Amino acid sequence: MGTEEELQRDPAWETEKYGAKCARLLALYRDPEFAAVALPVYPLASADADEYLAKEGAAGTGDTAGPLPQGELVAGYAAFLRDRLPDLGESLAAVCGDAPWIVRSSGDEDQEEHVNAGGYESLVCARPEELYATVAAVVFSGYGDHAVAQQRLADPSYRPSPIAAFVQPLVDAAPLTAGPAVAAAETPLPGPADVDALAGLLGRLHERFGMPRLDSEWVLETDAGTVSVTGLTELTPDGRLVGQLSLGFGFASAQRLGDGDNSLAWLTGVPGTVLWRGAVLRRVETARSRLVQVRPAAAFEPEPSLDVLTEECRDAWRAACVAAPVDILVPPRRVRASSFLTSVRLEDAWSRYLRLEPEQRERLGHVLVERGSPAEHAAVMFRQHGVAVLRGRPEDIPETASYALADPWTQECHFGTGRPPEVVVETRRMSSVPQGCRLLFTRADCAEAAAVVRADGAAPGPALMPGVTRLYELPHLPSRVRDRIVLDSFRPSPDLFVRHGAEVASPAFTARTAEALLVDGVPPERVARRPWR
């Protein structure tokens, strides 16, 4: 592993031997500032695998169809490693504790210009007797068809080779307290103090690595079990932390969306103003946070300057094409009409994209999915390659449509056939707040508003909402987006509830104000009804 003296003398030594991904986590584990959240790391260089290939005469095989296909390489290297390092399990346990462990890749990935998210495997090792086979599978995971195809997007002549790996304790905790099981529709809602603590750590991470934009992955140990978190954040020149946190229940759920869904927190950069999106948000209490990944996110822009259609051009497109509302998960690099690909799941769309011919990928500028998250590995890769990702309803896409054009300003996609209308754009800077985000309130938040209502007997207006004035301070937020957030935060929606213990309630301002009135013995029907303005 190298001595501490060697590492202090030449920090690049670690990156060269173990890869940037492993080197960053090793640096954090040794950093006292991150000691509470960083996990132990046991690095494994690729030198033993290179020696194995040379011994087997397979060092030059670059394709899975070579003399030793991936399955044989994994089995052979597992046996080779068992002979080479018979005490690996004991050495690993001394650093990372007893199994289960997670064996993670550290190959050609997580670079500023070459992210390669999801290009290699990270696998759980449940028992010590599975260690050698699991390490071998990760070390040779770059030989799989998917991995090779993904690498060849950046380098058509790419030939796979063994990669470095590292092992860490597996954080997949059971609920810390007895309580109701997490329902299939529920998504995590940490408390404000937990979100603030995570935001503070994120700000320090940006400063620690000198990166203005970061993609980070976290595991929270909570009273409802493991919560997976992916952060896409920017530390702006004026010191604001802006971006999003995607949260899901269960192992790696924020990176690979399964049958459930994720909640999303939008960090506005204004203290005390976090916007949330979800359906049934389950309030969780965090006992411990663990940082498991940090990498550059150069392509992520939470407040981008984007080309959008001019009003006159937009009218022309609406007249000539079918316009449908969409949630833009990854905005287009430039507004243009292009061919498009549809899929139910985002990860399936990426697999299909990899199988396209180069000229087909060149013509494709839009991907439309029913299910997906901007934090998924597939979204990271589409963002890297300049392909817009849109989430919407398949029934909104005309069967005859041959091209699509997404307009970030209106969050809609135009579908047409034949020759598309002319595209005329103007540049606007805008905050990329996802659709459906809103302020959430507790009954305590609305106690003051309830007191005002009791005093004058009038229905509460949005001006009484705590934090509403801060929405008008958010930079680059289009007025139509702000107005939608105010309205969604003000009135209850059948699509959003918060579960806290045995209580399930709407987090909307008017619903919480009504609760506060009822607690104080003032029936809502005694409050005059009038439309809000």
Side-chain angles (χ1 to χ4, degrees), residues 120-438:
Y120 304 106
E121 294 284 357
S122 290
L123 301 174
V124 172
C125 178
R127 295 179 295 276
E129 54 267 30
E130 300 171 1
L131 178 60
Y132 295 102
T134 307
V135 169
V138 172
V139 168
F140 284 96
S141 61
Y143 284 68
D145 292 340
H146 180 95
V148 172
Q150 184 162 303
Q151 287 280 25
R152 286 181 177 171
L153 290 179
D155 179 9
S157 64
Y158 169 80
R159 295 171 71 84
S161 60
I163 62 170
F166 61 99
V167 187
Q168 292 185 290
L170 177 68
V171 183
D172 190 14
L176 300 177
T177 58
V182 174
E186 292 180 335
T187 55
L189 176 64
D194 292 337
V195 175
D196 287 347
L198 194 55
L201 286 166
L202 282 164
R204 285 150 54 192
L205 268 182
H206 281 277
E207 294 169 352
R208 169 66 175 78
F209 290 106
M211 297 179 186
R213 296 172 186 159
L214 283 180
D215 179 341
S216 60
E217 297 175 12
W218 306 76
V219 177
L220 310 183
E221 299 176 39
T222 80
D223 59 346
T226 298
V227 171
S228 172
V229 183
T230 290
L232 290 168
T233 52
E234 179 179 34
L235 188 62
T236 64
D238 59 358
R240 294 181 302 118
L241 185 71
V242 185
Q244 64 183 38
L245 305 176
S246 181
L247 306 95
F249 283 114
F251 177 72
S253 56
Q255 296 85 49
R256 288 187 172 92
L257 200 62
D259 295 330
D261 203 352
N262 290 334
S263 53
L264 185 143
W266 183 264
L267 308 177
T268 64
V270 175
T273 306
V274 176
L275 303 174
W276 284 91
R277 186 181 72 187
V280 181
L281 294 167
R282 169 75 173 267
R283 179 66 183 271
V284 298
E285 301 296 335
T286 302
R288 192 167 193 178
S289 302
R290 292 295 203 175
L291 174 60
V292 297
Q293 175 72 299
V294 56
R295 60 185 169 211
F300 172 71
E301 294 187 76
E303 296 175 339
S305 292
L306 293 174
D307 286 341
V308 301
L309 298 179
T310 64
E311 288 295 333
E312 185 178 66
C313 181
R314 188 174 295 118
D315 290 342
W317 273 82
R318 285 173 173 164
C321 302
V322 173
V326 290
D327 187 2
I328 298 182
L329 305 182
V330 176
R333 284 187 182 170
R334 63 186 181 94
V335 176
R336 67 183 180 102
S338 77
S339 63
F340 61 93
L341 183 152
T342 62
S343 182
V344 174
R345 295 177 181 271
L346 183 52
E347 60 183 9
D348 295 336
W350 179 247
S351 295
R352 291 177 59 191
Y353 180 81
L354 291 177
R355 296 195 297 269
L356 296 177
E357 296 296 326
E359 58 271 17
Q360 293 175 307
R361 289 197 294 266
E362 182 66 27
R363 292 195 298 268
L364 190 142
H366 300 78
V367 169
L368 294 104
V369 297
E370 296 179 52
R371 294 178 51 75
S373 162
E376 287 185 78
H377 286 152
V380 172
M381 293 308 299
F382 276 126
R383 187 180 293 112
Q384 187 78 8
H385 290 275
V387 177
V389 179
L390 321 173
R391 183 172 57 197
R393 303 187 311 169
E395 57 266 32
D396 289 339
I397 305 174
E399 293 184 5
T400 58
S402 60
Y403 62 81
L405 178 143
D407 185 1
W409 188 252
T410 57
Q411 292 275 308
E412 62 185 1
C413 189
H414 302 270
F415 300 96
T417 306
R419 185 179 180 85
E422 180 185 9
V423 175
V424 181
V425 298
E426 59 185 353
T427 301
R428 293 189 180 185
R429 190 170 183 191
M430 56 185 291
S431 176
S432 298
V433 177
Q435 288 197 41
C437 284
R438 65 196 76 190

